[in-house]
Amino acid sequence: MLHDAGSHLAGLEIGGTKLVAARAYGRTIAERVTIATTTPEATLHAARELLARWHAGEALAAIGIAAFGPVRIDRAAPDYGHVLATPKPGWEGADLLAGLSDFGVPLALDTDVNAAALAEMALGAGQGCETVIYITIGTGIGGGVVVGGRPAHGLLHPELGHVMLRREAGDDFAGICPFHGDCIEGLVSGPALQSRFGTDPAAVAAGDPRWDAVAGDLARLIANLMLALSPQRIVIGGGVGLGQRAMVRQAARKAPALLAGYLPDIDDDAMARIVVPPVLGHDAGPLGAILLAERAASCGNGAPV
């Protein structure tokens, strides 16, 4: 069988509800398989069996793992590859890399949102930009940051979903985050909206005034990201981010007023260019995992990606 030129790579996007495994030749995905995210043992065992089948059929050059966080991504840390404190039952302490060294190929690990930001910068909405932020709004809120083609790492990795912001006047919703209450995830994630509205947010009309406070919360996050990181693109995806585009556009329109002229280039037209949906859609995560594998293959195992 003929394939597009490129190394045979595998990527795992490990999300809160599903794991998407993809194998690719270069950046062209040849096969993808979805595995329900249940227990760490069952989910990761199914992923390893799939990787073993792919590797036996034709040797993989590298594997990239893009995982929900928080996760330890420092290779020098004793708990490298382990999920840290998470509200997802049973996953705290899970070793995402267990058994993967058996394949004898380079591995790369990062967050799912850093990987998605990497993919959008290389192949999607962030092409030509120096700094790209990817925000996913769904069951939780995650944020990935790529600067100069490299995902942002430091003491840990960006945790933009747990940023705590000044509240909208008159909004007394307590928030649902088990750690912080009214951080942005506690206010705007899918479960937060369900609690806030008392119904499925997909059933709430775009013109419903209850969206105003939600858009205001998201606008404050956007304004703070503009001040902190000066991105040329903020890509907003995820189930809520893609499903409630009117709310996202409303948030983008609110952001310049919050900045109060401090960033003179930021007006409504600029925000319409900066705050955009993902060009890659739901493929941003799997493609990001493939790009992590591509970098691992070129750098060698243990090299920073």
Side-chain angles (χ1 to χ4, degrees):
M1 180 183 296
L2 295 177
H3 300 287
D4 292 342
S7 300
H8 187 212
L9 305 169
L12 302 179
E13 181 197 13
I14 307 173
T17 58
K18 65 180 183 297
L19 181 155
V20 179
R23 67 180 185 91
Y25 293 91
R27 297 178 175 183
T28 301
I29 292 177
E31 182 181 357
R32 75 182 69 210
V33 176
T34 299
I35 299 166
T37 303
T38 55
T39 66
E41 296 77 16
T43 306
L44 299 175
H45 176 72
R48 285 192 297 269
E49 285 199 325
L50 178 63
L51 291 173
R53 177 167 64 80
W54 285 346
H55 192 54
E58 180 181 349
L60 295 166
I63 299 169
I65 302 97
F68 70 88
V71 60
R72 186 72 70 193
I73 56 176
D74 179 2
R75 290 179 181 270
D79 58 349
Y80 170 59
H82 288 70
V83 177
L84 304 178
T86 176
K88 185 160 182 63
W91 279 80
E92 185 170 340
D95 183 359
L96 302 180
L97 303 180
L100 295 186
S101 61
D102 295 346
F103 295 103
V105 303
L107 302 171
L109 169 69
D110 212 317
T111 63
D112 51 355
V113 280
N114 262 356
L118 192 65
E120 287 290 341
M121 173 176 270
L123 304 169
Q127 292 181 82
C129 297
E130 175 71 13
T131 301
V132 172
I133 298 174
Y134 184 95
I135 304 290
T136 180
I137 309 175
T139 304
I141 294 182
V145 180
V146 176
V147 180
R150 296 180 66 89
H153 297 163
L155 182 65
L156 188 61
H157 51 71
E159 274 292 332
L160 302 182
H162 293 276
V163 169
M164 290 161 277
L165 304 167
R166 183 185 301 169
R167 295 294 302 278
E168 284 286 285
D171 181 17
D172 60 359
F173 176 59
I176 66 161
C177 175
F179 296 98
H180 313 116
D182 63 351
C183 63
I184 193 70
E185 179 172 294
L187 295 172
V188 181
S189 66
L193 296 178
Q194 176 85 31
S195 178
R196 187 193 283 260
F197 295 153
T199 188
D200 183 349
V204 179
D208 191 302
R210 289 178 292 176
W211 285 113
D212 290 348
V214 179
D217 291 332
L218 182 58
R220 292 182 188 281
L221 177 63
I222 291 169
N224 277 273
L225 293 176
M226 295 303 303
L227 291 166
L229 295 167
S230 196
Q232 291 112 325
R233 204 76 79 238
I234 300 175
V235 184
I236 299 183
V240 174
L242 290 172
Q244 301 295 337
R245 293 312 300 178
M247 182 273 290
V248 174
R249 288 191 294 270
Q250 184 181 0
R253 289 193 298 269
K254 285 175 174 281
L258 295 172
L259 292 166
Y262 187 73
L263 299 180
D265 297 330
I266 302 302
D267 56 18
D268 288 349
D269 289 341
M271 292 311 300
R273 293 191 300 271
I274 292 168
V275 180
V276 298
V279 167
L280 302 175
H282 296 294
D283 282 344
L287 281 169
I290 293 297
L291 292 182
L292 292 176
E294 180 183 81
R295 290 179 173 215
S298 63
C299 295
N301 206 27
V305 297

